[in-house]
Amino acid sequence: MKYHQINSALFVKNRRKFMAEMKPNSVAVFNSNDIYPISADSTLPFAQHRDIFYLSGVDQEESVLLLFPDAPYESQREILFLRETNDHIAVWEGEKLTKERAFQVSGIRTVYWLQDFHKVLNEMMTYADTMYINTNEHYRATVETETREARFVKWWKERYPAHNVAKSNPILQRLRSVKESEEIDLIQHACDITEKGFRRLLGFVKPNVTEYEVEAELAHEFIRNRSKGFAYTPIIASGNNANVLHYIENNQQCKEGDLLLLDVAAEYANYSSDMTRTIPVSGRFTDRQKAVYNAVLRVKNEATKMLTPGTLWKQYHIEVGKVMTSELLGLGLLDKADVQNENPEWPAYKKYFMHGTSHHMGLDTHDYGLLHEPMKPNMVFTVEPGIYIPAEKFGIRLEDNVVVQEKGEPFNLMRNIPVEVDEIETLMNE
């Protein structure tokens, strides 16, 4: 891995929190992701399942974590299973975790090779009453490919039909949504790498540069700072492309007078950052562009202040909608009749701002979090309002990552990334 090793104390702490929520006499199993084939002998780069990483720090394919806090023997309470490494694998694929190295990474002392998994699991099942299975219940999830985790669940249900079944995901949704200080530091590091990439762009972007050249500049800066690269597929949208919310072609030329919307960010150690900035290709905003930009910035600033403990997700978005409505009225994009006659299910402001303002962020860009529960300190959210005007051939979105505090306004992890009009123009024209 490119990143510096994370102290195993974080993963020890995460496992303790999870096991404290388990039912008596229960086992939980977590699987690594597959390496997904493309065709012939080609595969996609490996990306670890975030749950097993959160609980163990293991960032390797064909790994399994078993937790059994009430096991008869202490050595059975946390067990890692790894693909056995050898000299042949080391030559062809590179270093894999040894049992000793796995302990250093995870803090787990009991490590077996994967071929022993079924034998050990069978013994654990004779002691246990309940199995925690790890299904994907994220509110944005749309899974069409059968995952390694899903294959395990199918196999386990057939092999052990007499056991009770419980779900890991509700526990993880709550635990992972509230970050430990070590996790916040890792997200901050990802944000700092993103800052370096953005500052590099401010001296690079000019008329006639292409969106893919901008993407290449960012990739270079991210990787040279120990990131694997982008935390998500980058959106580099010039001109009217910015009005396509998930524009990812990144193949057009940036023209003089256009705005360039950049929804781009680095990952670090599997933790995401998530930034959006909108900059003028020519280095100067027009008066109209500046007016809309500052309206979006004011909404972002006001929305950020609302992210406090006890806030409910649904009410938060209603309040942000009121702020956005006021700004759209000021810009002449809405009039009073539009607001008076609006459909409560789709308020007038949605014509120009049709997506949500915030989402949880962490190991996943759209991280775990139960939206019906009140916000808590140390939750990390994006704040990303936008105004999209196809008739004027530009869209503006601004996005920061913030940490909810015990009291007062959130702490902005992207506080050092330029966002004010004057600073952006100055840096672009140096």
Side-chain angles (χ1 to χ4, degrees):
M1 302 303 154
K2 296 183 178 72
Y3 57 85
H4 294 291
Q5 183 176 325
I6 301 168
N7 191 313
S8 64
L10 170 63
F11 308 114
V12 171
K13 188 167 19 179
N14 290 345
R15 289 194 299 277
R16 285 175 180 163
K17 289 188 297 184
F18 183 87
M19 289 191 288
E21 298 296 324
M22 292 173 67
K23 296 178 181 180
N25 216 34
S26 61
V27 171
V29 170
F30 302 90
N31 285 272
S32 289
N33 276 336
D34 286 317
I35 297 178
Y36 290 99
I38 299 172
S39 63
D41 63 346
S42 299
T43 61
L44 294 172
F46 175 69
Q48 181 60 295
H49 194 300
R50 300 307 194 241
D51 291 336
I52 191 173
F53 183 82
Y54 174 80
L55 293 167
S56 72
V58 170
D59 202 351
Q60 182 174 295
E61 71 280 6
E62 297 185 73
S63 304
V64 182
L65 171 66
L66 186 152
L67 301 177
F68 189 3
D70 295 329
Y73 304 103
E74 186 175 353
S75 62
Q76 297 171 327
R77 292 170 190 172
E78 299 180 342
I79 306 175
L80 262 181
F81 299 86
L82 304 173
R83 176 188 177 192
E84 185 173 2
T85 189
N86 54 44
D87 292 342
H88 177 79
I89 290 171
V91 169
W92 284 89
E93 299 180 27
E95 180 186 3
K96 301 292 180 181
L97 288 173
T98 63
K99 292 182 179 182
E100 178 58 34
R101 183 84 178 103
F103 166 67
Q104 293 171 5
V105 167
S106 67
I108 296 173
R109 292 191 177 277
T110 305
V111 182
Y112 290 104
W113 298 130
L114 192 58
Q115 60 258 32
D116 294 323
F117 174 66
H118 288 156
K119 179 180 70 176
V120 175
L121 178 66
N122 190 61
E123 181 183 354
M124 299 302 104
M125 287 292 95
T126 64
Y127 303 140
D129 299 320
T130 301
M131 165 64 86
Y132 277 84
I133 60 174
N134 193 29
T135 51
N136 186 347
E137 299 177 25
H138 191 274
Y139 65 98
R140 289 176 181 249
T142 54
V143 181
E144 297 182 1
T145 302
E146 187 176 52
T147 63
R148 189 179 186 89
E149 199 80 89
R151 291 197 306 276
F152 169 76
V153 169
K154 184 188 296 184
W155 171 85
W156 180 87
K157 285 183 175 180
E158 291 177 355
R159 179 69 177 79
Y160 300 99
H163 284 73
N164 298 318
V165 177
K167 298 191 299 181
S168 298
N169 196 259
I171 299 174
L172 288 167
Q173 290 268 13
R174 291 187 175 91
L175 294 182
R176 279 183 47 186
S177 67
V178 179
K179 273 51 179 181
E180 296 290 342
S181 59
E182 299 97 321
E183 295 182 284
I184 292 172
D185 289 344
L186 290 164
I187 298 169
Q188 179 69 78
H189 194 78
C191 291
D192 293 344
I193 296 173
T194 299
E195 177 190 355
K196 292 179 181 180
F198 180 63
R199 288 184 179 275
R200 175 172 174 151
L201 287 188
L202 292 177
F204 175 78
V205 170
K206 57 185 179 299
N208 300 322
V209 73
T210 56
E211 293 165 348
Y212 54 81
E213 288 178 294
V214 173
E215 182 176 349
E217 290 292 309
L218 287 165
H220 183 280
E221 193 65 29
F222 292 171
I223 292 171
R224 73 194 292 261
N225 282 283
R226 290 183 174 268
S227 168
K228 283 188 292 190
F230 293 98
Y232 50 90
T233 305
I235 298 169
I236 301 170
S238 60
N240 211 25
N241 295 332
N243 293 308
V244 179
L245 296 182
H246 291 115
Y247 170 83
I248 57 172
E249 284 78 6
N250 303 345
N251 62 5
Q252 299 297 304
Q253 192 175 63
C254 303
K255 298 176 182 177
E256 186 172 356
D258 277 351
L259 294 182
L260 178 62
L261 188 153
L262 302 154
D263 193 337
V264 293
E267 71 81 52
Y268 180 76
N270 291 313
Y271 282 85
S272 294
S273 59
D274 190 356
M275 180 201 76
T276 309
R277 292 292 187 268
T278 308
I279 63 175
V281 172
S282 302
R284 301 282 182 194
F285 292 91
T286 66
D287 289 344
R288 175 61 170 174
Q289 291 168 347
K290 188 183 298 186
V292 177
Y293 185 101
N294 283 328
V296 175
L297 182 57
R298 285 191 292 270
V299 175
K300 182 183 77 68
N301 292 340
E302 289 303 310
T304 300
K305 296 174 186 177
M306 300 179 195
L307 293 171
T308 55
T311 298
L312 291 172
W313 186 264
K314 188 174 181 180
Q315 189 60 39
Y316 164 72
H317 280 94
I318 291 172
E319 295 303 316
V320 174
K322 293 176 183 177
V323 178
M324 179 60 80
T325 298
S326 175
E327 292 293 348
L328 292 171
L329 287 166
L331 292 167
L333 292 168
L334 295 179
D335 58 33
K336 291 183 179 179
D338 293 323
V339 178
Q340 290 168 352
N341 299 323
E342 70 182 9
N343 177 357
E345 299 299 317
W346 191 256
Y349 78 84
K350 288 287 190 180
K351 180 179 179 181
Y352 299 100
F353 174 39
M354 60 291 295
H355 58 79
T357 310
S358 298
H359 57 76
H360 289 84
M361 203 196 68
L363 277 169
D364 288 295
T365 304
H366 298 123
D367 206 20
Y368 282 2
L370 297 170
L371 302 186
H372 62 280
E373 296 188 355
M375 297 178 188
K376 297 178 180 179
N378 288 344
M379 286 184 170
V380 179
F381 288 100
T382 64
V383 189
E384 50 180 307
I387 294 176
Y388 308 93
I389 318 174
E392 299 182 37
K393 292 184 169 52
F394 71 86
I396 294 173
R397 181 164 67 251
L398 300 173
E399 177 181 20
D400 283 340
N401 306 155
V402 303
V403 186
V404 177
Q405 303 294 289
E406 290 279 355
K407 295 181 180 179
E409 296 182 18
F411 180 74
N412 190 349
L413 298 172
M414 292 185 164
R415 62 202 175 279
N416 296 325
I417 302 180
V419 71
E420 297 286 345
V421 164
D422 290 346
E423 186 177 9
I424 288 173
E425 289 185 338
T426 297
L427 291 169
M428 292 189 75
N429 288 281
E430 282 182 345

